[in-house]
Amino acid sequence: MDSLLQHLERFSEVLAVSRTTHVSTWDAATVRRALQWARYLRHVHRRFGRHARIRKALERRLQNQWKQEGGSGPAPALGLTNFQALGHCDLLLSLRLLANRALGDAAFHYLLQELFPGPGVPGAEEGMLQDSLALLARRRAAVHMLRSGAYRENPVLQEDSLMKTQAELLLERLQEVGEAHAEGPGRFLSRLWEHLPHNNFLKVTAAALLLPPSSPRHQEEESELGSPRRAGEQGRELLHWLLGKSEVIAAFCRNLPAGLLTSVAGRHPEVSRVYLGLLTDWGRHLHYDLQKGIWIGTESYDVPWEELYGRFQSLCQAPPPLKDEVLTTLKSCKAQDGDFEVPGLSIWTDLLLALESGA
Amino acid sequence: MGLLSRILAAFRSDIKEVDLFTQGLGYAPADYYPGLLKNMVLSLVSELRENHLNGFNTQSRMAPERVRSLSRVCVPLVTLPDFEPLVEALLTYHGQEPQEMLWPEFFDAVNEAFLLRKICLPVSAVLCLWLRHLPSLEKAVLHLFEKLVSSERNCLRRIECFMKDSLLSFPLQPEAACHPAIFRVVDEMFRYALLETEGAPEVLAAMQVFTRCFVEALEKENQQPKFALKTYFPYASPSLVMVLLQRPKDIPQGLWHRPLKRISEMLKEIVEDETQGSSGGPFESWFLLAHFGGWADIAAEQLLTSVGDAEPPEALLWLLAFSSSPGDGPQQRAQTMVEVKAVLSHLGRLLGSPTPSARDLLAAAGESGEGDPRPPACQQLTRRLLLNFLLWAPGGRAMARDVITLMARTDEIMHEIVGFLDQTLYRWDHLGVDAPGSRKLARELLAELRGQA
């Protein structure tokens, strides 16, 4: 058992390295050994797939890599991240090596020969790897054909396939990180926030919070592996982090489209509270310009009237608990201001008037 | 070579916005393509279905041109397992346009993949495929014919299993059986196949099995028979079809002569009435009868088992003569009937004699070996009666093998004998005929003859 765990860890390191420039030192023999290890581990996966204890032990060992804080920069060099990956670790290795420009010519040619030996030579193992590669290539081609042909982006962001896929990946990673270390997800997300473009990240976060409760990708494999992956749990981690970071949640509420935020707020009451809080905050920064007859802000970062109105309008189109909450908030703000019915005195009055006139 | 390998190795994604994010998570494009494809397919499927359900007022309606280009894109991708839901959704898509929106090669590609079993589709999708694109159905039936002719000769049970397991079981599903169009197309192909092969026994057998399975499926759907029949058999008189459709199993064996007589009389009326231009001549009537082949066989059996009792009923003789040789003129047929009567009376006399020999039997039947002047159809009939006699008569068992050896002068005749035994056993199984002795003999003979082949 111990030697198996060591093997596993070593291979995982090899896999992590296979993406870096270190492979320039690899020769054909190294590649061959690596592929052999991969095949062996695939066999292990087949053999011990149903042994809960062994599987857990293997996974725990693999989680060590999350504990290393050394990973600087945006893209962590990861090896195997879960037990399932063992099932196609030769595919993972082959793909990384194929894509790695740093691999020397001799090693590369050896790799090609192993993967595509030409007619009439397929062994059972090699055949499976080739089939996996072919299938992957076909799927990639299919994605691109669909995108250039008939596929259109879904205007409802959380329904869009690309967004959904990114969201699913995010939750999956969070699950793995969370299993390795309780603090893991929070730290991981913070690092992502530091390194990745914010706009896309926020959208993906919203999409992730709106994913249906059933688990993303691996639901079919759930029952056979016996370790249920609950999108709900990772979603909660994500939400917890989001709400804990004032900078992030502010950007979230400010930059995302109104409809999307309404959906998120509808699903997660904690978000709706923060959102409403921010909206009222932003509202208070506006003052009434008597000459122009409109509400304006003084600073460049102030939220303009139209946007504020748009967001409230969207919120009022949401189903009951949220809609009522919004109206209650608006009315209480209006009351605090003095409960005026005349426009121009309290922004809350004006908002309510505009909303009621049903634009 | 170097350049080529580098191009080959480019599994990089060019979906820029996703790239950075997934890299940040530590995923490579290869990791997320399967999931992305699945999501894209789901999204497209729901767009197609929405169209279907909500009518033409939804915003998310997929424009027909897009459906068309989508089906075009799918042509090379039909065999990808991830695409099954999309293929199904496209096949069952019904737009508002009168003309077919799907790309024609799409149907071909799906049909190919389906026939080669590279994809699985539910019955409803296959039905749509076949109803919208006739060549697909024709190819499927031809595919079946090829398989049948090459592998399942002379074993009706295997043909039945084959049909029920194969893709052609689709027309036999209750949902499909309600589509007269599909039955008619398959029927037409059987018709042509029979004409081309001049009544090849394999095709005949396949058609009989198909019809039987089809009728079973139709009954499962509880259709009103009167209404359905005209659409399935437009050239035949409904009353005739109804009699033919009767299941011998539902009628006590002793009363079988009644429907037989009815069938014979009705057919005779149609065939011998020269003013009936629209019935399509004797071939159509024969073709119809051939669907329900069991009746002619039962007639032969009836004649045999009642031999020696009384005069064989003219109706049965006529039926037998017609089924084996529909093209005969009335005089020819009458001649055949006389021959058969003669054989029957000889056989009847043999029943009385204590230990008939094989040669006696053959002589009685007029089987004179080479240079038999009678037409081949008549000879075939005679052989059939002889074989029936062997199976039913008390002394038959003893001389069965000798008779068969003497009868089977050519490979073709041997083939015919094996076919007869197989068909008889098949029929007895389905009708639940209680004749343990005869059955045992038939089975033994069949096994021996098959072993020899």
Side-chain angles (χ1 to χ4, degrees), chain B residues 83-359:
Chain B
F83 266 65
E84 261 171 39
L86 187 54
V87 169
E88 193 189 325
L90 281 170
L91 285 175
T92 51
Y93 162 80
H94 293 291
Q96 301 298 329
E97 290 67 36
Q99 74 271 29
E100 180 57 74
M101 283 318 295
L102 296 182
W103 200 256
E105 278 81 2
F106 174 71
F107 292 119
D108 287 325
V110 175
N111 200 40
E112 259 314 295
F114 175 66
L115 290 179
L116 296 173
R117 299 209 185 244
K118 285 186 184 164
I119 53 173
C120 293
L121 290 172
V123 182
S124 51
V126 178
L127 268 187
C128 286
L129 170 65
W130 285 345
L131 288 172
R132 289 164 87 149
H133 189 243
L134 191 58
S136 299
L137 176 57
E138 289 174 349
K139 268 194 207 130
V141 179
L142 280 175
H143 184 88
L144 179 72
F145 281 175
E146 276 167 34
K147 283 249 177 88
L148 281 175
V149 167
S150 66
S151 64
E152 306 293 349
R153 317 189 83 202
N154 251 347
C155 180
L156 285 178
R157 196 177 306 126
R158 258 199 246 134
I159 292 181
E160 181 176 341
C161 285
F162 182 74
M163 275 211 177
K164 287 195 166 152
D165 289 338
S166 83
L167 314 153
L168 251 289
S169 72
F170 281 85
L172 303 174
Q173 302 288 336
E175 302 102 306
C178 300
H179 274 282
I182 294 200
F183 177 82
R184 295 293 326 284
V185 171
V186 181
D187 205 41
E188 277 298 300
M189 295 182 79
F190 272 123
R191 179 198 301 263
Y192 280 115
L194 281 173
L195 281 170
E196 291 285 316
T197 60
E198 294 180 10
E202 291 87 356
V203 181
L204 213 48
M207 184 172 79
Q208 286 168 11
V209 173
F210 177 76
T211 310
R212 233 180 37 77
C213 297
F214 170 77
V215 170
E216 268 174 28
L218 197 59
E219 280 166 2
K220 268 190 218 150
E221 273 300 291
N222 292 324
Q223 292 265 334
Q224 284 298 326
K226 266 229 160 72
F227 172 72
L229 290 179
K230 204 63 179 146
T231 39
Y232 294 102
F233 301 100
Y235 303 128
S237 97
S239 39
L240 176 56
V241 177
M242 281 212 62
V243 181
L244 286 168
L245 271 174
Q246 278 180 294
R247 294 195 296 188
K249 199 158 54 161
D250 295 337
I251 308 169
Q253 208 162 326
L255 295 177
W256 281 351
H257 61 273
R258 281 205 208 141
L260 281 173
K261 203 154 165 278
R262 282 281 292 147
I263 292 170
S264 177
E265 281 164 7
M266 282 202 256
L267 279 171
K268 189 158 185 247
E269 206 181 294
I270 296 170
V271 169
E272 292 184 354
D273 181 356
E274 274 146 12
T275 62
Q276 278 253 27
S278 62
S279 67
F283 174 77
E284 281 304 323
S285 302
W286 176 82
F287 182 61
L288 179 65
L289 180 63
H291 278 86
F292 306 95
W295 290 112
D297 294 329
I298 292 176
E301 232 172 56
Q302 287 269 297
L303 283 171
L304 234 305
T305 47
S306 59
V307 90
D309 293 348
E311 278 284 302
E314 288 291 311
L316 295 187
L317 289 173
W318 188 95
L319 188 61
L320 212 52
F322 174 70
S323 82
S324 70
S325 194
D328 285 349
Q331 274 176 335
Q332 211 12 326
R333 191 160 300 133
Q335 181 63 20
T336 307
M337 285 161 73
V338 165
E339 294 276 349
V340 172
K341 224 184 198 174
V343 169
L344 283 170
S345 74
H346 282 305
L347 289 174
R349 256 176 285 150
L350 271 177
L351 264 184
S353 85
T355 43
S357 81
R359 290 202 186 276

Side-chain angles (χ1 to χ4, degrees), chain A residues 258-335:
Chain A
L260 183 58
L261 278 167
T262 305
S263 306
V264 177
R267 179 91 95 82
H268 302 277
E270 311 97 316
V271 174
S272 74
R273 254 174 270 133
V274 175
Y275 187 34
L276 280 172
L278 283 169
L279 283 171
T280 50
D281 213 31
W282 294 336
R284 291 209 178 87
H285 282 165
L286 298 182
H287 65 271
Y288 196 66
D289 183 323
L290 273 168
Q291 280 174 330
K292 292 186 197 152
I294 51 171
W295 291 87
I296 53 172
T298 42
E299 310 289 342
S300 59
Y301 53 74
D302 278 335
V303 179
W305 161 267
E306 294 76 20
E307 196 181 314
L308 206 59
Y309 173 70
R311 287 175 186 278
F312 274 111
Q313 187 188 34
S314 170
L315 283 168
C316 286
Q317 285 166 354
L322 181 58
K323 176 180 180 170
D324 298 333
E325 195 187 328
V326 172
L327 287 172
T328 312
T329 309
L330 281 173
K331 284 185 185 141
S332 86
C333 285
K334 172 182 166 192

Side-chain angles (χ1 to χ4, degrees), chain A residues 18 32 41 111 131 139 158 206 209 230 261 301 313 347:
Chain A
S18 67
R32 189 179 70 240
L41 285 172
L111 178 65
D131 289 342
R139 282 174 161 159
Q158 62 264 37
L209 290 173
R230 291 179 218 99
L261 278 167
Y301 53 74
Q313 187 188 34
I347 189 170

Side-chain angles (χ1 to χ4, degrees), chain A residues 193 198 244-252:
Chain A
W193 176 254
H198 288 179
K245 288 247 173 194
S246 57
E247 169 205 352
V248 181
I249 189 78
F252 189 83

Side-chain angles (χ1 to χ4, degrees), chain A residues 98 138 144 150 165 173 217, chain B residues 9 14 25 31 33 66 79:
Chain A
L98 276 175
R138 283 192 84 195
H144 287 286
T165 310
R173 249 321 164 241
R217 281 205 282 172
Chain B
D14 34 41
L25 288 179
D31 293 320
Y33 269 116
R66 243 187 93 206
T79 51

Side-chain angles (χ1 to χ4, degrees), chain A residues 65 67-73 191:
Chain A
Q65 66 191 309
K67 301 190 174 132
Q68 300 155 11
E69 286 298 326
S72 61
R191 202 162 71 202

